[in-house]
Amino acid sequence: MEANVVADHLGIEFQRVQLQPLLQGFEQQLAPDLAGEEPRGPTPTPDRARHNTIARLRMCCAYYAANRRNRLVVGTANRSELLLGYVTKYGDGAADLFPLGELYKTEVRALAERMGLPDPIVEKIPTTGRYPGQTDADDLGATYDVIDSLLYRVIEEGDPVDVAAKAVDVDESTAQRLVSMCAETAHKRRLAPVADVAGRSRQPTADE
């Protein structure tokens, strides 16, 4: 298990929690009431709902441990995943801080190599592990080498999508789809909107 390898390498406390029993109990309580309901969304499958639930149960466990020990939850999401919305809302997309959140996936890999992490970690093909053989590239339609180069030109440098697509040698339709994902998943990168029915939506600052 990769997390165990990293923890051992860095000397970090590690505890493995089995989520399947939690998921089974969750589904036994809730799933019968949803029989016949049709899933909605860009990938409307019950498997996606189960995958998202597992991610949220994992975060529940992390926050439970953090609360019990008066600690913070550190998220692992990087800039590529956050920009694309390739995270589960209130799952791996929820944390108290994201140390890698400003680094693109390719930069994270370079950092891991610089830190001397084991080769199996540095060279591992990115995957969510939803099913055997699944890769991020299959889901996203491009590798992170291409995605990061494209997003950097569009997001950081302000290049038009067609110009950026040509520069990184990717077809424009793929480039447009990836950039569109950034806009379509913006809700994952901000707090839930508040209905300003009483004109009190302004949030206090740290100095107040």
Side-chain angles (χ1 to χ4, degrees):
M1 186 175 182
E2 290 82 2
N4 198 358
V5 173
V6 173
D8 287 342
H9 181 80
L10 298 177
I12 298 173
E13 179 184 356
F14 179 86
Q15 181 179 358
R16 186 171 184 176
V17 177
Q18 294 292 342
L19 295 177
Q20 284 299 324
L22 296 177
L23 178 65
Q24 291 170 6
F26 182 85
E27 291 187 322
Q28 288 172 1
Q29 291 296 319
L30 185 60
D33 294 330
L34 299 177
E37 293 285 341
E38 292 295 329
R40 299 178 181 179
T43 51
T45 65
D47 285 345
R48 176 55 61 92
R50 296 184 84 249
H51 174 72
N52 286 342
T53 299
I54 290 173
R56 288 166 181 146
L57 288 173
R58 184 184 300 116
M59 193 53 68
C60 283
C61 292
Y63 267 101
Y64 178 80
N67 290 163
R68 290 292 300 267
R69 299 181 178 184
N70 195 29
R71 297 181 180 179
L72 298 175
V73 173
V74 178
T76 60
N78 54 68
R79 186 160 176 76
S80 305
E81 295 166 344
L82 292 172
L83 284 174
L84 295 173
Y86 196 58
V87 294
T88 297
K89 196 171 186 178
Y90 306 123
D92 55 327
D96 293 311
L97 65 157
F98 289 106
L100 304 176
E102 280 294 298
L103 298 180
Y104 283 96
K105 187 81 167 185
T106 48
E107 293 176 323
V108 172
R109 175 167 290 172
L111 177 61
E113 186 174 5
R114 181 67 179 268
M115 292 177 62
L117 294 182
D119 289 342
I121 301 299
V122 177
E123 299 171 0
K124 184 177 184 295
I125 297 175
T127 174
T128 64
R130 288 202 312 272
Y131 54 85
Q134 180 272 336
T135 68
D136 291 6
D138 290 337
D139 284 355
L140 299 172
T143 65
Y144 282 111
D145 288 335
V146 172
I147 292 171
D148 289 358
S149 296
L150 175 74
L151 293 184
Y152 187 87
R153 287 178 175 273
V154 174
I155 304 297
E156 317 299 344
E157 298 186 342
D159 286 352
V161 176
D162 58 338
V163 173
K166 185 176 181 179
V168 303
D169 194 25
V170 63
D171 65 272
E172 191 172 336
S173 61
T174 297
Q176 187 62 60
R177 179 177 54 78
L178 290 168
V179 173
S180 294
M181 288 177 66
C182 298
E184 293 166 359
T185 60
H187 64 94
K188 294 187 178 184
R189 298 186 293 275
R190 57 177 178 246
L191 294 175
V194 175
D196 190 15
V197 295
R200 301 167 183 160
S201 63
R202 188 183 71 84
Q203 297 297 314
T205 65
D207 297 329
E208 293 179 304

